[in-house]
Amino acid sequence: PDGSYFAFTDWDTGDLATYEPATGKKRHVTNKGSWNESDEQAEGCVISPDGKQIAYLWYKKDGLCDFRIIGKDGSDPRILYHSDEMGYMVPSDWSSDGRYILAAVYWKDKSVQIALISVPDGTFHVLKTFDWYHPGGAMIFSPDGRYIVYDMSEKDNPDKGDILIMRADGS
């Protein structure tokens, strides 16, 4: 959040990594080995408000994925959420108090949900459910944390869309 580093997937290995613009230093946060050793990979990450943790999706060798959290330095990795029915998850933002992560969850049944995942215990709170037609991916909390803003393209014209707002409780 303060711009001192950025988190990303290092596509040379599939590891979650950080980059510090001031020093030009790249560092792996996970260390799964080369693509020859493992086809697992990190994808879609978001940094905590205090900059100490990174939430990300981890694709496993069994074809399933976990939503995970890890310290910026690679410490304290843990699975925050897992479901065999989850196809993909896009973490978008953290609440300003660091207690929730806002994400779009794409289920194998083709439904999509906007959800909050509790950082302390991994509890999954559904805010809104969509069928195949779903938000575009940009979702953020308002600065006061009371609202969530997201984009939605028009059903008949995906090149046009709207910016929508809902309360953080899903109403």
Side-chain angles (χ1 to χ4, degrees):
D2 67 2
S4 64
Y5 76 95
F6 299 93
F8 66 100
T9 300
D10 180 349
W11 291 111
D12 290 336
T13 64
D15 279 309
L16 179 66
T18 59
Y19 174 75
E20 297 176 3
T23 63
K25 187 176 180 180
K26 178 177 94 171
R27 181 179 176 283
H28 281 203
V29 179
T30 60
N31 188 15
K32 67 166 199 71
S34 71
W35 286 113
N36 290 334
E37 296 171 74
S38 171
D39 61 355
E40 294 187 356
Q41 69 185 48
E43 203 169 306
C45 53
V46 63
I47 300 169
S48 66
D50 65 6
K52 294 180 181 178
Q53 296 177 302
I54 305 168
Y56 62 101
L57 189 68
W58 186 259
Y59 280 103
K60 303 184 305 181
K61 58 185 163 200
D62 60 9
L64 299 174
C65 55
D66 294 328
F67 186 55
R68 298 181 178 187
I69 191 168
I70 194 167
K72 170 191 169 189
D73 60 0
S75 63
D76 302 320
R78 67 183 169 110
I79 296 171
L80 197 58
Y81 183 79
H82 173 84
S83 170
D84 289 353
E85 300 307 311
M86 180 172 62
Y88 188 73
M89 182 185 287
V90 180
S92 296
D93 199 9
W94 289 63
S95 60
S96 61
D97 63 6
R99 293 184 42 84
Y100 294 97
I101 299 168
L102 175 64
V105 184
Y106 298 79
W107 298 98
K108 290 180 179 177
D109 71 0
K110 306 296 183 204
S111 65
V112 180
Q113 293 177 322
I114 295 176
L116 293 179
I117 296 90
S118 169
V119 173
D121 63 13
T123 306
F124 189 88
H125 304 276
V126 176
L127 301 179
K128 193 161 184 70
T129 301
F130 304 89
D131 55 14
W132 66 271
Y133 177 66
H134 54 80
M139 298 188 303
I140 59 170
F141 282 99
S142 62
D144 64 6
R146 293 176 40 212
Y147 300 95
I148 293 169
V149 178
Y150 62 100
D151 71 316
M152 192 88 161
S153 61
E154 293 179 4
K155 283 185 180 183
D156 298 328
N157 187 352
D159 293 333
K160 292 188 176 188
D162 294 305
I163 304 297
L164 302 166
I165 188 168
M166 70 176 159
R167 293 190 197 307
D169 65 3
S171 62

